[in-house]
Amino acid sequence: MKGLMMDFPLTTHAILEYGNRVFPHKEIVTKLPNGSWHRYHFSDLYIRAKQLASALVHSLGVQPGDRVATFAWNHYQHVELYYGIPGAGAICHTLNVRLSVEQIIFIVNHAEAKIIFIDATLVPLFEKVAPYTTGVKKYVLLNAPENFNTSLTDTILYEDLLKESRPDYQWYPSDENDACGLCYTSGTTGNPKGALYSHRSTYLHALALLMPNAANLSVRDRVLLIVPQFHVMAWGFPYVCILSGSDMILPSLHLQPDAIIQILEQEKITVANGVPTIWLGVYDAMKKNPPKEKLALREYVVGGSALPPSLIEAFEKDFGIKGVHAWGMTETSPIGTASRLQNIHDNLTDHEKLAVRAKQGIELPGVEIRAVMEDGSIAPRDGETVGEFEIRGAWIIKSYYKYHDNHLSFSEDGWFKTGDVGTLDAQGYMNISDRSKDLIKSGGEWISSVALEIALMAHPEIKEACVIAIPDEKWVERPLACVVFRNENIVSKEALNAFLGEHFASYQLPDQYIGMNEIPKTSVGKLNKKELRRRWAEGEL
Ligand code: AMP
């Protein structure tokens, strides 16, 4: 027997209708690329997103299911695109501006986007792409100064496009299972692959993420969205903030530590998101030049790479700000787990509590995670038995977009294989030891590159560390550590291995250390191990 409840489609425009009805007065603040500030309210977003949807349909002839791309920083117009494009029945396809020209060409052609909304500051980059993406028929320019010149053909200014809207526009009546967003993986192995989100998956992910066990957002929060809107929909925060009624603050390209600190202070931010590299930079800058008054920031939500416990501890001790560790992937919308202490942890020592918070955390309701061992059996939740994590749930992909080798990424019973390896403990906390391809196999024993990196970053003289496997005749692979020292004080290999020796067996210690000015980063700010392996192989390290 079916339940007797209404069929209320969970769509992105239902999120915006809610925000406009319940929180019309809440603020969206942008520090625009030119450094000026723009402020308006959820009610303005509502009107303009509807105008955009109308102009897309009536002026640009967008059809249901069309991919409409964005090549833009975080700002209010980009939020309008998040709602206006699906509100026209089309798919908001965000392009990562930090990928290589070749990767961007591949993605634009693969997704067959015909319209691109592009920030003026990013036009010079796209001019290198455009000759190879001739399927794009229209460029809509965002934040373009007067007399802006470009070799891109068929351009229109965003504000001019909005003027072409019709006042009586009704949202396209999407089914909740229709697609609303498209993001590509950053392609660290092979070509980028597309994850096609549905209205329903987006809505449910946002609901779960705003809960106290995860991002813990409410009407009292002012949230800084540092995670780019071109990376997994800014982790869903543009939807979460509207549902929770939190003010949304957008930094566009002002992502240097000092610029972030200025926004944190001026806008009285209470919660912000970002990858660990961002927070390492912000911490260092705050340490050198402490804010005059205590920041309103109560928590920073971190994912994308492992959050070093040394950073959690230092931020909290020095500035009273808590780090919340979360895990996810482009394929998981992205958030799958988040780590917070429970009352069962009350009697633990501070050190033990830190170890819990440094884990990736427990499943959000709506997803299930298991660790699968090499023989295909499911690892017990004992915190010790290692397996590859597989995940399924309401916002997990069931297939990549237009992709033939899907079977390689899914188990026979339909779970998505994450490629991350680690343990689940008796309380359900996930602890990632590595990407399976980054694990180091030395003499038949596994060494976790992440565990070495985290331990090295706890050394007072080390700012950043990245460990890769290098080929070895005797042991097959051995760990090599690339480190960035905080000051001029270079620490010897012997001293670093003595420091690590407290926690690692001697066979796990790096054979070599290489001091660097900077660790290369991927397009989304992660340690770029592929690039380090290439440099090593080509004798450039
Ligand atoms: P992306 O699809 O670019 O977001 O990358 C997803 C990958 O980032 C995951 O499969 C993990 O390897 C890594 N990752 C994400 N969050 C974390 C985390 N909290 N700790 C360790 N690795 C993470």
Coordinates of all heavy atoms in Angstrom, one line a residue, residues 185-186 231-232 235 302-307 325-331 334 360 418-420 432 434-435 450 524 526, ligand 1:
T185 N 35.1 15.7 -12.4 CA 36.2 15.4 -11.5 C 37.4 16.1 -12.0 O 37.5 16.5 -13.2 CB 36.5 13.9 -11.4 OG1 36.9 13.5 -12.7 CG2 35.3 13.1 -11.0
S186 N 38.4 16.3 -11.1 CA 39.5 17.1 -11.5 C 40.5 16.3 -12.4 O 41.5 16.8 -12.8 CB 40.2 17.8 -10.4 OG 40.2 17.0 -9.3
H231 N 33.8 24.1 -7.9 CA 34.2 22.8 -7.4 C 33.1 22.1 -6.6 O 32.8 22.6 -5.5 CB 35.5 22.9 -6.5 CG 36.0 21.6 -6.0 ND1 36.2 20.5 -6.8 CD2 36.3 21.2 -4.8 CE1 36.6 19.5 -6.1 NE2 36.7 19.9 -4.9
V232 N 32.5 21.1 -7.1 CA 31.4 20.4 -6.5 C 30.3 21.3 -5.9 O 30.0 21.2 -4.8 CB 31.8 19.3 -5.4 CG1 30.9 18.1 -5.5 CG2 33.2 18.9 -5.6
W235 N 30.5 22.7 -2.5 CA 30.1 21.7 -1.5 C 28.6 21.8 -1.1 O 28.1 21.4 0.0 CB 30.9 21.8 -0.2 CG 32.3 21.5 -0.3 CD1 33.0 21.0 -1.4 CD2 33.4 21.6 0.7 NE1 34.3 20.8 -1.2 CE2 34.6 21.2 0.1 CE3 33.4 22.0 2.0 CZ2 35.8 21.2 0.8 CZ3 34.6 22.1 2.7 CH2 35.8 21.6 2.1
V302 N 36.2 21.7 7.0 CA 37.3 21.3 6.1 C 37.1 20.0 5.4 O 36.6 19.0 6.1 CB 38.6 21.2 6.9 CG1 39.7 20.7 6.0 CG2 38.9 22.6 7.5
G303 N 37.4 19.9 4.1 CA 37.4 18.6 3.5 C 38.3 18.7 2.3 O 39.0 19.7 2.1
G304 N 38.2 17.7 1.4 CA 39.1 17.7 0.2 C 40.4 17.0 0.4 O 40.9 16.4 -0.5
S305 N 41.0 17.1 1.5 CA 42.2 16.4 1.9 C 42.1 16.3 3.5 O 41.3 17.0 4.1 CB 43.5 17.2 1.6 OG 43.5 17.7 0.3
A306 N 43.0 15.4 4.0 CA 42.9 15.2 5.4 C 43.3 16.5 6.2 O 44.2 17.2 5.8 CB 43.9 14.1 5.8
L307 N 42.5 16.8 7.2 CA 42.7 17.9 8.1 C 43.8 17.5 9.2 O 43.5 16.7 10.0 CB 41.4 18.3 8.8 CG 41.5 19.4 9.9 CD1 42.1 20.7 9.4 CD2 40.1 19.6 10.4
H325 N 35.9 18.4 10.5 CA 36.5 17.6 9.4 C 35.3 16.9 8.7 O 34.5 16.2 9.3 CB 37.5 16.6 10.0 CG 38.4 16.0 9.0 ND1 39.2 15.0 9.3 CD2 38.6 16.3 7.7 CE1 39.9 14.7 8.2 NE2 39.6 15.4 7.2
A326 N 35.3 17.0 7.4 CA 34.3 16.3 6.6 C 34.9 15.6 5.4 O 36.0 16.0 5.0 CB 33.2 17.3 6.1
W327 N 34.3 14.6 4.9 CA 34.9 13.9 3.7 C 33.8 13.8 2.6 O 32.6 13.7 2.8 CB 35.3 12.5 4.1 CG 35.5 11.6 2.9 CD1 36.7 11.4 2.3 CD2 34.6 10.8 2.2 NE1 36.6 10.5 1.3 CE2 35.3 10.1 1.2 CE3 33.2 10.5 2.4 CZ2 34.7 9.2 0.3 CZ3 32.6 9.6 1.5 CH2 33.3 9.0 0.5
G328 N 34.3 13.9 1.4 CA 33.4 13.6 0.2 C 34.2 13.7 -1.1 O 35.4 13.9 -1.1
M329 N 33.4 13.6 -2.2 CA 34.0 13.5 -3.5 C 33.0 14.2 -4.5 O 31.8 14.3 -4.2 CB 34.2 12.1 -4.0 CG 34.8 11.2 -3.0 SD 34.9 9.4 -3.6 CE 36.0 9.6 -4.9
T330 N 33.5 14.5 -5.6 CA 32.6 15.1 -6.7 C 31.5 14.1 -6.9 O 30.3 14.5 -7.1 CB 33.4 15.2 -8.0 OG1 34.6 16.0 -7.7 CG2 32.6 15.9 -9.1
E331 N 31.8 12.8 -6.8 CA 30.7 11.8 -7.1 C 29.7 11.7 -5.9 O 28.7 11.0 -6.1 CB 31.4 10.4 -7.3 CG 32.3 10.3 -8.5 CD 33.7 10.8 -8.3 OE1 34.0 11.6 -7.4 OE2 34.6 10.4 -9.1
P334 N 29.2 16.9 -2.4 CA 30.2 15.9 -2.1 C 30.1 15.3 -0.7 O 30.7 14.2 -0.5 CB 31.5 16.7 -2.2 CG 31.1 18.0 -1.6 CD 29.6 18.2 -2.0
Q360 N 37.7 11.2 9.5 CA 36.8 11.8 8.5 C 35.3 11.8 9.0 O 34.5 12.6 8.5 CB 36.9 11.1 7.2 CG 38.1 11.6 6.4 CD 39.4 11.1 6.9 OE1 39.5 10.3 7.8 NE2 40.5 11.7 6.4
T418 N 35.0 4.2 -4.0 CA 35.6 5.6 -3.8 C 37.1 5.6 -4.2 O 37.6 6.7 -4.5 CB 35.5 6.0 -2.3 OG1 36.3 5.2 -1.5 CG2 34.0 6.0 -1.8
G419 N 37.8 4.5 -4.1 CA 39.3 4.6 -4.3 C 40.0 5.1 -3.0 O 41.2 5.1 -3.0
D420 N 39.3 5.4 -2.0 CA 39.9 5.7 -0.7 C 40.0 4.5 0.2 O 39.1 3.7 0.2 CB 39.1 6.8 0.0 CG 39.2 8.2 -0.6 OD1 40.2 8.4 -1.3 OD2 38.2 9.0 -0.5
I432 N 40.5 7.7 6.9 CA 41.2 7.4 5.6 C 42.7 7.3 5.8 O 43.3 8.2 6.3 CB 40.8 8.5 4.6 CG1 39.3 8.5 4.3 CG2 41.6 8.4 3.3 CD1 38.9 9.4 3.2
D434 N 44.6 6.6 2.9 CA 45.1 7.0 1.7 C 44.1 6.9 0.5 O 43.1 6.2 0.7 CB 46.4 6.2 1.3 CG 47.6 7.0 1.0 OD1 47.4 8.1 0.4 OD2 48.7 6.7 1.5
R435 N 44.5 7.5 -0.6 CA 43.9 7.0 -1.9 C 44.5 5.7 -2.2 O 45.7 5.6 -2.0 CB 44.2 8.0 -3.0 CG 43.6 9.3 -3.1 CD 42.2 9.4 -3.3 NE 41.8 8.9 -4.6 CZ 40.5 8.5 -4.9 NH1 39.6 8.5 -4.0 NH2 40.2 8.2 -6.1
V450 N 49.4 9.6 3.8 CA 48.7 10.6 4.6 C 49.1 10.6 6.0 O 49.3 11.7 6.6 CB 47.1 10.4 4.5 CG1 46.4 11.3 5.4 CG2 46.7 10.5 3.0
V524 N 42.0 22.1 -7.4 CA 41.1 22.3 -6.3 C 41.9 22.4 -4.9 O 41.4 22.3 -3.9 CB 40.0 21.3 -6.2 CG1 39.0 21.5 -7.3 CG2 40.5 19.9 -6.2
K526 N 44.5 20.7 -3.7 CA 45.1 19.5 -3.0 C 46.6 19.3 -3.4 O 47.0 19.8 -4.4 CB 44.3 18.2 -3.4 CG 42.9 18.3 -3.1 CD 42.2 17.1 -3.5 CE 40.7 17.3 -3.4 NZ 39.9 16.2 -3.3
Ligands
AMP1 P1 37.2 15.6 -5.3 O1 36.3 14.8 -6.1 O2 38.1 16.5 -6.1 O3 36.5 16.4 -4.3 O4 38.2 14.6 -4.6 C1 37.7 13.6 -3.7 C2 38.9 12.9 -3.0 O5 39.5 13.9 -2.1 C3 38.4 11.8 -2.1 O6 38.3 10.6 -2.8 C4 39.6 11.7 -1.1 O7 40.7 11.0 -1.6 C5 40.0 13.2 -0.9 N1 39.3 13.7 0.3 C6 38.2 14.4 0.4 N2 37.9 14.8 1.7 C7 38.9 14.2 2.4 C8 39.2 14.2 3.8 N3 38.5 14.8 4.7 N4 40.3 13.5 4.2 C9 41.1 12.9 3.3 N5 40.9 12.9 2.0 C10 39.8 13.5 1.5

